[in-house]
């Protein structure tokens, strides 16, 4: 059985037990949460979220890329979000690579050098600050005042705000 088959089996067993309002694509709390794809970050559990309360965006590192700006622009302009919560975390895989080394690896393997940025970092707090600044300075986002960034400790569950 593949991992996908296992997940589909679990879904069939669970049925429709997830609480929350599914009547609208507009999040009732008017907040978008951008975090890393790391499986140790259980966004709904960390914040006690129910379905329909927040947009949850994820990528490697939880960094604000052009695609995240695209999603946030849609979230704000068409679906009513007004706040952005950024959550990076300790022990992130992006701390284990460098921009050039990873691009070199991909180029060697595929024959093509990526045009996109890997967004590797050494200090998670610096990455949070950079992402907060990207949101605050994006002309595509009308709601840039209530943007806050945090580091989630994957071992303790503690959230620390980065100022």
């Amino acid at each position: 059985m593949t991992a996908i088959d296992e997940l589909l089996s679990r879904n069939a067993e669970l049925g429709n037990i997830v609480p929350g309002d599914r009547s609208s694509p507009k999040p009732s709390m008017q907040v978008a949460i951008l975090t890393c794809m790391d499986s140790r970050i259980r966004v709904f559990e960390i914040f006690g979220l129910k379905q329909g309360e927040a947009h949850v965006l994820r990528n490697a590192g939880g960094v604000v890329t052009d695609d995240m700006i695209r999603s946030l622009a849609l979230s704000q302009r068409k679906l009513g979000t007004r706040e952005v919560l950024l959550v990076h975390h300790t022990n992130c895989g992006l701390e284990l690579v460098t921009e050039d080394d990873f691009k070199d690896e991909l180029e060697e393997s595929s024959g093509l050098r990526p045009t996109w940025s890997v967004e590797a970092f050494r200090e998670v707090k610096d990455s949070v600050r950079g992402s907060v600044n990207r949101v605050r300075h994006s002309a595509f986002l009308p709601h840039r005042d209530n943007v806050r960034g945090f580091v989630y400790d994957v071992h303790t569950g503690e959230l620390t705000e980065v100022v």
Side-chain angles (χ1 to χ4, degrees), residues 36-83:
C36 185
M37 65 187 190
D38 191 299
S39 61
R40 297 170 293 178
I41 303 170
R42 298 173 47 182
V43 180
F44 281 78
E45 290 86 348
I46 290 170
F47 296 110
L49 286 172
K50 296 177 184 149
Q51 281 192 6
E53 290 185 324
H55 282 161
V56 178
L57 312 172
R58 298 182 87 140
N59 69 12
V63 295
V64 176
T65 61
D66 286 346
D67 191 55
M68 289 298 109
I69 293 293
R70 177 188 70 88
S71 293
L72 289 170
L74 287 163
S75 177
Q76 289 187 0
R77 292 181 178 271
K78 299 300 180 187
L79 298 168
T81 60
R82 301 288 182 262
E83 299 179 47

Coordinates of all heavy atoms in Angstrom, one line a residue, residues 36-83:
C36 N 5.9 26.9 7.3 CA 6.7 25.9 6.5 C 5.9 24.7 6.3 O 5.0 24.3 7.0 CB 8.0 25.6 7.4 SG 9.2 24.5 6.6
M37 N 6.4 23.9 5.3 CA 5.7 22.6 4.9 C 6.1 21.5 5.9 O 5.6 20.4 5.8 CB 6.1 22.2 3.5 CG 7.6 21.9 3.3 SD 7.9 21.7 1.6 CE 9.6 21.1 1.7
D38 N 7.0 21.8 6.8 CA 7.5 20.8 7.8 C 6.3 20.1 8.5 O 5.4 20.8 9.0 CB 8.4 21.5 8.8 CG 9.2 20.5 9.7 OD1 8.5 19.7 10.4 OD2 10.4 20.5 9.7
S39 N 6.3 18.8 8.5 CA 5.2 18.0 9.0 C 5.1 18.1 10.5 O 4.0 17.7 11.1 CB 5.3 16.6 8.6 OG 6.5 16.0 9.1
R40 N 6.1 18.6 11.2 CA 6.0 18.8 12.7 C 5.1 20.0 13.1 O 4.8 20.1 14.2 CB 7.4 18.9 13.3 CG 8.2 17.6 13.0 CD 9.7 17.8 13.4 NE 10.3 18.8 12.5 CZ 11.5 19.2 12.6 NH1 12.3 18.8 13.6 NH2 12.0 20.1 11.8
I41 N 4.8 20.8 12.1 CA 4.0 22.0 12.4 C 2.6 21.7 12.1 O 2.1 21.7 11.0 CB 4.5 23.3 11.6 CG1 6.0 23.5 11.8 CG2 3.7 24.5 11.9 CD1 6.6 24.5 10.9
R42 N 1.8 21.5 13.2 CA 0.4 21.1 13.0 C -0.4 22.4 13.2 O -0.9 22.7 14.3 CB 0.1 20.0 14.0 CG 0.9 18.7 13.7 CD 0.7 17.7 14.8 NE -0.7 17.5 15.1 CZ -1.1 16.7 16.0 NH1 -0.3 15.9 16.7 NH2 -2.4 16.6 16.3
V43 N -0.6 23.1 12.2 CA -1.1 24.5 12.2 C -2.5 24.5 12.9 O -2.7 25.4 13.8 CB -1.2 25.1 10.8 CG1 -1.8 26.5 10.9 CG2 0.2 25.1 10.1
F44 N -3.4 23.7 12.5 CA -4.7 23.7 13.1 C -4.7 23.4 14.6 O -5.4 24.1 15.4 CB -5.7 22.7 12.4 CG -6.2 23.3 11.1 CD1 -5.4 23.3 10.0 CD2 -7.4 23.9 11.0 CE1 -5.8 23.8 8.8 CE2 -7.9 24.4 9.8 CZ -7.1 24.4 8.7
E45 N -3.8 22.5 15.1 CA -3.7 22.2 16.5 C -3.0 23.3 17.3 O -3.4 23.6 18.4 CB -3.0 20.8 16.7 CG -3.8 19.6 16.2 CD -3.7 19.3 14.7 OE1 -3.1 20.2 14.0 OE2 -4.1 18.2 14.3
I46 N -2.0 23.8 16.7 CA -1.2 24.9 17.4 C -2.1 26.1 17.8 O -1.9 26.6 18.9 CB 0.0 25.4 16.5 CG1 1.1 24.3 16.4 CG2 0.6 26.6 17.1 CD1 2.1 24.6 15.3
F47 N -3.0 26.4 16.9 CA -3.8 27.6 17.1 C -5.2 27.3 17.4 O -6.0 28.2 17.5 CB -3.7 28.5 15.8 CG -2.3 29.1 15.6 CD1 -1.6 28.6 14.5 CD2 -1.7 30.0 16.5 CE1 -0.3 29.1 14.3 CE2 -0.5 30.5 16.2 CZ 0.3 30.0 15.1
G48 N -5.5 26.1 17.6 CA -6.9 25.7 17.9 C -7.9 26.1 16.8 O -9.0 26.4 17.1
L49 N -7.4 26.0 15.6 CA -8.3 26.4 14.4 C -9.3 25.4 14.1 O -9.1 24.2 14.2 CB -7.4 26.6 13.2 CG -6.5 27.9 13.1 CD1 -5.6 27.8 11.9 CD2 -7.3 29.1 13.1
K50 N -10.4 25.9 13.6 CA -11.5 25.1 13.0 C -11.5 25.4 11.5 O -11.0 26.4 11.1 CB -12.8 25.4 13.6 CG -12.9 25.1 15.1 CD -14.2 25.5 15.6 CE -14.3 25.2 17.1 NZ -15.1 26.1 17.8
Q51 N -12.0 24.4 10.7 CA -12.2 24.7 9.3 C -12.9 26.0 9.1 O -13.9 26.3 9.8 CB -12.9 23.5 8.6 CG -12.0 22.4 8.4 CD -12.6 21.3 7.4 OE1 -13.7 21.6 6.9 NE2 -11.9 20.2 7.3
G52 N -12.5 26.7 8.1 CA -13.2 27.9 7.7 C -12.7 29.2 8.4 O -13.2 30.3 8.2
E53 N -11.8 29.1 9.4 CA -11.4 30.2 10.1 C -10.2 31.0 9.6 O -10.0 32.2 9.8 CB -11.0 29.8 11.6 CG -12.2 29.4 12.4 CD -11.9 29.1 13.8 OE1 -10.8 28.6 14.1 OE2 -12.8 29.4 14.7
A54 N -9.3 30.3 8.8 CA -8.1 30.9 8.4 C -7.6 30.3 7.1 O -7.8 29.1 6.8 CB -6.9 30.8 9.4
H55 N -6.9 31.1 6.3 CA -6.2 30.6 5.1 C -4.8 30.1 5.6 O -4.2 30.8 6.4 CB -6.0 31.6 4.0 CG -7.2 31.9 3.2 ND1 -7.3 33.0 2.5 CD2 -8.3 31.1 3.0 CE1 -8.5 33.0 1.8 NE2 -9.1 31.8 2.1
V56 N -4.4 28.9 5.2 CA -3.2 28.4 5.6 C -2.3 28.1 4.4 O -2.7 27.3 3.5 CB -3.3 27.0 6.4 CG1 -2.0 26.5 6.8 CG2 -4.2 27.3 7.7
L57 N -1.2 28.8 4.3 CA -0.3 28.7 3.2 C 1.0 28.1 3.6 O 1.5 28.5 4.7 CB 0.0 30.1 2.6 CG -1.2 31.0 2.3 CD1 -0.8 32.4 2.0 CD2 -2.1 30.5 1.3
R58 N 1.5 27.2 2.8 CA 2.8 26.5 3.3 C 3.7 26.4 2.1 O 3.3 26.2 0.9 CB 2.4 25.1 3.8 CG 1.5 25.2 5.0 CD 1.3 23.8 5.5 NE 2.3 23.4 6.5 CZ 2.1 22.8 7.6 NH1 0.9 22.4 8.0 NH2 3.1 22.4 8.4
N59 N 5.0 26.5 2.4 CA 6.1 26.2 1.5 C 7.3 25.9 2.2 O 7.4 25.9 3.5 CB 6.3 27.4 0.5 CG 6.9 28.6 1.1 OD1 7.4 28.7 2.2 ND2 6.9 29.7 0.4
A60 N 8.4 25.5 1.5 CA 9.7 25.2 2.2 C 10.2 26.5 2.9 O 10.4 27.5 2.3 CB 10.7 24.7 1.2
G61 N 10.3 26.4 4.2 CA 10.8 27.5 5.0 C 9.8 28.5 5.5 O 10.0 29.3 6.4
G62 N 8.6 28.4 4.9 CA 7.5 29.4 5.3 C 7.9 30.8 4.9 O 7.4 31.8 5.4
V63 N 8.8 30.9 3.8 CA 9.2 32.3 3.4 C 8.2 32.9 2.5 O 7.5 32.2 1.7 CB 10.6 32.2 2.8 CG1 11.7 31.7 3.8 CG2 10.6 31.2 1.6
V64 N 8.3 34.2 2.4 CA 7.4 35.0 1.6 C 8.1 35.1 0.2 O 9.0 35.9 0.0 CB 7.1 36.4 2.1 CG1 6.2 37.2 1.2 CG2 6.3 36.2 3.5
T65 N 7.6 34.3 -0.7 CA 8.1 34.3 -2.1 C 7.1 35.0 -3.0 O 6.0 35.4 -2.5 CB 8.2 32.9 -2.6 OG1 6.9 32.2 -2.6 CG2 9.2 32.1 -1.8
D66 N 7.4 35.2 -4.3 CA 6.4 35.8 -5.2 C 5.1 35.0 -5.2 O 4.0 35.6 -5.3 CB 7.0 35.9 -6.6 CG 8.0 37.0 -6.7 OD1 8.1 37.8 -5.9 OD2 8.7 36.9 -7.8
D67 N 5.2 33.7 -5.1 CA 4.0 32.9 -5.2 C 3.1 33.1 -3.9 O 1.9 33.1 -3.9 CB 4.3 31.4 -5.4 CG 3.0 30.6 -5.7 OD1 2.3 31.0 -6.6 OD2 2.7 29.7 -4.9
M68 N 3.8 33.3 -2.8 CA 3.1 33.5 -1.5 C 2.4 34.9 -1.6 O 1.3 35.1 -1.1 CB 4.0 33.4 -0.3 CG 4.4 32.0 0.0 SD 3.0 30.9 0.4 CE 3.0 29.9 -1.0
I69 N 3.1 35.9 -2.2 CA 2.5 37.2 -2.4 C 1.2 37.1 -3.3 O 0.2 37.7 -3.0 CB 3.5 38.2 -3.0 CG1 4.6 38.5 -2.0 CG2 2.8 39.5 -3.4 CD1 4.2 39.3 -0.7
R70 N 1.3 36.2 -4.3 CA 0.2 36.0 -5.2 C -1.0 35.4 -4.3 O -2.1 35.9 -4.4 CB 0.5 35.0 -6.3 CG -0.6 34.6 -7.2 CD -0.2 33.4 -8.1 NE 0.0 32.2 -7.4 CZ -1.0 31.3 -7.2 NH1 -2.2 31.5 -7.6 NH2 -0.8 30.2 -6.5
S71 N -0.7 34.4 -3.5 CA -1.8 33.8 -2.7 C -2.3 34.8 -1.7 O -3.5 34.9 -1.4 CB -1.3 32.6 -2.0 OG -1.0 31.6 -2.9
L72 N -1.4 35.6 -1.1 CA -1.9 36.6 -0.1 C -2.7 37.7 -0.8 O -3.7 38.2 -0.2 CB -0.7 37.2 0.7 CG 0.0 36.3 1.7 CD1 1.3 36.9 2.1 CD2 -0.9 36.0 2.8
A73 N -2.3 38.1 -2.0 CA -3.1 39.1 -2.7 C -4.5 38.6 -3.0 O -5.5 39.4 -2.8 CB -2.4 39.5 -4.0
L74 N -4.7 37.4 -3.4 CA -6.0 36.8 -3.6 C -6.7 36.7 -2.3 O -7.9 37.0 -2.2 CB -5.9 35.4 -4.3 CG -5.5 35.5 -5.7 CD1 -5.0 34.1 -6.2 CD2 -6.7 35.9 -6.6
S75 N -6.0 36.3 -1.2 CA -6.6 36.1 0.1 C -7.2 37.4 0.6 O -8.3 37.5 1.1 CB -5.6 35.5 1.0 OG -6.1 35.4 2.3
Q76 N -6.4 38.5 0.4 CA -6.8 39.8 0.9 C -7.9 40.5 0.0 O -8.9 40.9 0.5 CB -5.6 40.7 1.1 CG -4.8 40.3 2.3 CD -3.7 41.3 2.6 OE1 -3.5 42.3 1.9 NE2 -2.8 41.0 3.6
R77 N -7.6 40.5 -1.2 CA -8.4 41.3 -2.2 C -9.7 40.6 -2.5 O -10.7 41.3 -2.8 CB -7.6 41.6 -3.4 CG -6.5 42.6 -3.2 CD -5.7 42.9 -4.4 NE -4.6 43.9 -4.2 CZ -4.8 45.2 -4.2 NH1 -6.0 45.7 -4.5 NH2 -3.8 46.0 -4.0
K78 N -9.7 39.3 -2.5 CA -11.0 38.6 -3.0 C -11.7 37.8 -1.9 O -12.8 37.5 -2.0 CB -10.6 37.7 -4.1 CG -10.1 38.4 -5.4 CD -11.1 39.4 -5.9 CE -10.6 40.1 -7.1 NZ -11.5 41.2 -7.5
L79 N -10.9 37.5 -0.8 CA -11.5 36.6 0.2 C -11.5 37.2 1.6 O -11.8 36.5 2.6 CB -10.8 35.3 0.2 CG -11.0 34.6 -1.2 CD1 -10.1 33.4 -1.3 CD2 -12.4 34.1 -1.4
G80 N -11.1 38.5 1.8 CA -11.4 39.2 3.0 C -10.4 39.1 4.1 O -10.7 39.6 5.2
T81 N -9.2 38.6 3.9 CA -8.3 38.5 5.1 C -7.7 39.9 5.3 O -7.5 40.7 4.4 CB -7.2 37.5 4.9 OG1 -6.4 37.7 3.7 CG2 -7.8 36.1 4.8
R82 N -7.4 40.2 6.5 CA -6.8 41.5 6.9 C -5.5 41.4 7.7 O -4.9 42.4 8.0 CB -7.9 42.2 7.8 CG -9.2 42.5 7.1 CD -9.0 43.5 6.0 NE -10.3 43.9 5.3 CZ -10.7 43.3 4.2 NH1 -9.9 42.5 3.6 NH2 -11.8 43.7 3.6
E83 N -5.2 40.2 8.2 CA -4.0 40.0 9.0 C -3.2 38.9 8.4 O -3.7 38.0 7.8 CB -4.4 39.6 10.4 CG -5.2 40.7 11.1 CD -5.6 40.2 12.5 OE1 -4.7 39.7 13.3 OE2 -6.8 40.4 12.9

